[in-house]
Amino acid sequence: MTNKTPHIDLKNDIGFGKTILMPGDPLRAKYIADNFLEDAVLVNGVRGVNGYTGYYKGVKVSVMASGMGMPSIGIYSYELYKFFGVQNIIRVGSAGAINENVKVRDIVIGQGACTNSNFISQYGMNGTIAPICNFDMLDIANKIAKSKNLNAHIGNLYSSDTFYDDTFPSSNWGKIGCLAVEMEAAALYTTAMRLGMRAMAICTISDILYPPFTALPADDREKTFTQMMELALDCAVEYEKLPIIEPKD
């Protein structure tokens, strides 16, 4: 345990909760802290990637931005797991649907994360790693989503290194069963797997990337993302019951 790494510098002794929500956008992290957490306190501000810790339904929970892309979330998730005692990371963000069964406003919970990234090559594996989420986290999230009657899909995400991708809309990732494209889950899952920790991604569909193309109207985004945030926070309450684990060397 420490209070400082190259990218995180704790401002006080409050620290991080057992579970941390990670949106890509620092402003969304502030929105979650301001609107959902009680007694939220700023605990990190390095590079403007603000982190907050507060309480939700009496449980200590944190929220901090991951930045955009796999290198960024790879850095923050590694440091949070390895040096700050964080047990569970939930990515919360937007995604584009690439499977015709998925519509605008739906929620996708990433069971696995296919990727075009070279992030995984760092492990020197003579083969292909399949980045997957933690089953306990997924099982709890599925049960809570059903209890809330949310239109939530569980399946593979496609984590892409490129936002403006020349292969879309004629992408084969949707044909092979990936539900939505985003840019962080594969790195988060692989980092958690390497360290023996727990991770999961929950995404709200903001855009349809197959014909006819659709984008969620700006006025609707806050309400729809609120469902995802509440699902993640209710999960965090239940994750408090999961056993404490230590990161692997």
Side-chain angles (χ1 to χ4, degrees):
M1 297 287 289
T2 184
N3 63 356
K4 187 174 182 178
T5 60
H7 307 92
I8 301 171
D9 186 1
L10 289 181
K11 292 179 172 293
N12 46 56
D13 295 330
I14 296 172
F16 294 105
K18 185 175 177 180
T19 299
I20 184 165
L21 277 62
M22 297 202 81
D25 185 354
L27 293 179
R28 189 170 296 161
K30 185 177 188 303
Y31 177 88
I32 294 172
D34 289 346
N35 291 276
F36 294 95
L37 300 184
E38 295 182 359
D39 303 321
V41 175
L42 181 69
V43 293
N44 178 65
V46 177
R47 297 173 178 249
V49 181
N50 293 343
Y52 306 85
T53 296
Y55 293 85
Y56 182 78
K57 296 183 178 179
V59 173
K60 184 178 178 181
V61 179
S62 297
V63 55
M64 190 174 84
S66 69
M68 289 190 293
M70 282 178 264
S72 186
I73 199 170
I75 290 170
Y76 289 112
S77 60
Y78 184 93
E79 292 185 4
L80 288 166
Y81 285 136
K82 190 75 173 178
F83 304 113
F84 293 96
V86 171
Q87 301 280 296
N88 317 302
I89 296 178
I90 310 174
R91 161 162 157 68
V92 288
S94 58
I98 55 176
N99 186 291
E100 293 185 0
N101 294 319
V102 182
K103 309 299 181 184
V104 164
R105 300 184 182 87
D106 286 359
I107 290 173
V108 173
I109 303 172
Q111 180 178 9
C114 300
T115 186
N116 64 355
S117 174
N118 202 37
F119 184 90
I120 295 170
S121 67
Q122 67 181 291
Y123 300 109
M125 306 296 291
N126 185 23
T128 301
I129 296 173
I132 58 173
C133 74
N134 175 264
F135 177 77
D136 290 330
M137 294 180 74
L138 177 65
D139 187 39
I140 290 169
N142 182 44
K143 290 173 180 175
I144 293 175
K146 286 182 176 178
S147 72
K148 291 175 170 289
N149 294 315
L150 297 178
N151 194 15
H153 306 264
I154 295 177
N156 274 346
L157 294 166
Y158 166 47
S159 298
S160 177
D161 265 345
T162 51
F163 185 86
Y164 298 105
D165 191 330
D166 274 356
T167 67
F168 283 95
S170 54
S171 168
N172 288 324
W173 293 102
K175 294 177 183 177
I176 204 167
C178 291
L179 302 178
V181 58
E182 51 82 67
M183 300 185 71
E184 287 83 26
L188 172 61
Y189 288 5
T190 309
T191 301
M193 290 165 63
R194 169 61 182 85
L195 295 176
M197 306 306 283
R198 294 185 287 253
M200 187 182 66
I202 304 175
C203 296
T204 296
I205 299 301
S206 58
D207 301 272
I208 300 295
L209 301 181
Y210 56 82
F213 305 102
T214 308
L216 189 66
D219 291 344
D220 290 352
R221 289 183 183 241
E222 182 175 312
K223 180 180 178 181
T224 304
F225 287 168
T226 294
Q227 291 181 337
M228 171 182 62
M229 294 169 189
E230 289 177 343
L231 172 59
L233 288 164
D234 285 336
C235 285
V237 172
E238 293 301 312
Y239 295 163
E240 195 71 10
K241 303 171 187 175
L242 294 175
I244 298 293
I245 49 180
E246 296 294 332
K248 295 187 297 186
D249 291 332

